[in-house]
Amino acid sequence: MRQATITRDTAETKITVSLNLDDYSTIDIDTGIGFFDHMLNAFAKHGRFGLVVKADGDLQVDPHHTTEDVGIVLGQCFKQALGDKAGIERFGTAFVPLDETLSRVVIDLSGRSYLVFDAEFDNPKLGGYDTEVTEDFFQAFAFNAELNCHAAVLYGRNTHHKIETLFKALGRAMRAAVTLNPEIKGIPSTKGVI
Ligand SMILES: [Mn+2]
């Protein structure tokens, strides 16, 4: 099974993430930030990823360090769990609606880190979560997983809906990209390495 467990311990946060690409029977998220837990649960559930996240961060400062650092460690887990990426689809696209909102995420597990993020949030706070750190999470995730991610809210009104559809679409696009396809022999790149 493709899996990884990584702990990152800094003066700002102590984070452990366990990721399983092939068995999603265990999803257990505790970051201390309620809305962020909701988002990571949605990502794992709709991406069909086994995911355990334990984060103990400096929430007395603000939620920024914890949110961004979970993105770093989750990205590292995908990179490690994917190994040489032999036999995977590599590309993934997902559109996810929630009532009036529609979001799209497109992934290429290219080994090249790049994020294009196109979303604006009217509401700066959702409970203890700062909505602007959504982009920081996606940035940290894309750079540490070494993937190309294009994430966009195509339209919508409600900030909760916008962010939730981005996380669900990220989960579903990542699921499509990591899927093993028996028709794909070896590493899916004309270069032979990704
Ligand atoms: Mn919700």
mmCIF file of all heavy atoms in Angstrom, residues 35 38-39 98 160-161 164, ligand 1:
data_model
loop_
_atom_site.group_PDB
_atom_site.id
_atom_site.type_symbol
_atom_site.label_atom_id
_atom_site.label_comp_id
_atom_site.label_asym_id
_atom_site.label_seq_id
_atom_site.Cartn_x
_atom_site.Cartn_y
_atom_site.Cartn_z
ATOM 1 N N PHE A 35 -13.141 24.814 11.579
ATOM 2 C CA PHE A 35 -13.466 24.875 10.154
ATOM 3 C C PHE A 35 -12.406 24.154 9.311
ATOM 4 O O PHE A 35 -12.726 23.493 8.318
ATOM 5 C CB PHE A 35 -13.612 26.327 9.686
ATOM 6 C CG PHE A 35 -14.000 26.428 8.232
ATOM 7 C CD1 PHE A 35 -15.310 26.211 7.838
ATOM 8 C CD2 PHE A 35 -13.048 26.703 7.261
ATOM 9 C CE1 PHE A 35 -15.665 26.272 6.489
ATOM 10 C CE2 PHE A 35 -13.395 26.775 5.917
ATOM 11 C CZ PHE A 35 -14.708 26.558 5.539
ATOM 12 N N HIS A 38 -13.042 20.536 9.377
ATOM 13 C CA HIS A 38 -14.155 20.279 8.454
ATOM 14 C C HIS A 38 -13.629 20.172 7.019
ATOM 15 O O HIS A 38 -14.007 19.266 6.259
ATOM 16 C CB HIS A 38 -15.170 21.405 8.613
ATOM 17 C CG HIS A 38 -16.375 21.353 7.734
ATOM 18 N ND1 HIS A 38 -16.997 20.193 7.362
ATOM 19 C CD2 HIS A 38 -17.081 22.359 7.161
ATOM 20 C CE1 HIS A 38 -18.032 20.482 6.588
ATOM 21 N NE2 HIS A 38 -18.099 21.782 6.438
ATOM 22 N N MET A 39 -12.719 21.059 6.638
ATOM 23 C CA MET A 39 -12.171 21.057 5.274
ATOM 24 C C MET A 39 -11.300 19.831 5.016
ATOM 25 O O MET A 39 -11.383 19.217 3.941
ATOM 26 C CB MET A 39 -11.347 22.336 5.035
ATOM 27 C CG MET A 39 -12.144 23.615 5.031
ATOM 28 S SD MET A 39 -13.454 23.620 3.787
ATOM 29 C CE MET A 39 -14.863 23.169 4.791
ATOM 30 N N LEU A 98 -21.490 23.418 -4.766
ATOM 31 C CA LEU A 98 -22.213 23.395 -3.489
ATOM 32 C C LEU A 98 -23.225 24.542 -3.575
ATOM 33 O O LEU A 98 -22.832 25.712 -3.525
ATOM 34 C CB LEU A 98 -21.262 23.565 -2.295
ATOM 35 C CG LEU A 98 -21.718 23.031 -0.935
ATOM 36 C CD1 LEU A 98 -20.614 23.166 0.109
ATOM 37 C CD2 LEU A 98 -22.996 23.676 -0.429
ATOM 38 N N HIS A 160 -18.053 30.053 2.957
ATOM 39 C CA HIS A 160 -17.954 28.654 3.409
ATOM 40 C C HIS A 160 -18.088 27.709 2.213
ATOM 41 O O HIS A 160 -17.298 26.769 2.053
ATOM 42 C CB HIS A 160 -19.048 28.410 4.452
ATOM 43 C CG HIS A 160 -19.042 27.072 5.109
ATOM 44 N ND1 HIS A 160 -19.054 26.923 6.477
ATOM 45 C CD2 HIS A 160 -19.052 25.812 4.605
ATOM 46 C CE1 HIS A 160 -19.075 25.623 6.777
ATOM 47 N NE2 HIS A 160 -19.078 24.926 5.659
ATOM 48 N N HIS A 161 -19.044 27.975 1.353
ATOM 49 C CA HIS A 161 -19.238 27.127 0.175
ATOM 50 C C HIS A 161 -18.033 27.179 -0.767
ATOM 51 O O HIS A 161 -17.615 26.153 -1.318
ATOM 52 C CB HIS A 161 -20.483 27.572 -0.607
ATOM 53 C CG HIS A 161 -21.771 27.322 0.113
ATOM 54 N ND1 HIS A 161 -22.976 27.790 -0.353
ATOM 55 C CD2 HIS A 161 -22.044 26.655 1.266
ATOM 56 C CE1 HIS A 161 -23.940 27.426 0.473
ATOM 57 N NE2 HIS A 161 -23.397 26.742 1.467
ATOM 58 N N GLU A 164 -15.109 25.221 0.862
ATOM 59 C CA GLU A 164 -15.431 23.789 0.928
ATOM 60 C C GLU A 164 -15.355 23.140 -0.457
ATOM 61 O O GLU A 164 -14.843 22.013 -0.592
ATOM 62 C CB GLU A 164 -16.819 23.593 1.546
ATOM 63 C CG GLU A 164 -17.177 22.127 1.734
ATOM 64 C CD GLU A 164 -18.355 21.914 2.664
ATOM 65 O OE1 GLU A 164 -18.600 22.783 3.538
ATOM 66 O OE2 GLU A 164 -19.020 20.885 2.534
HETATM 67 MN MN MN B 1 -19.656 22.768 5.246
#
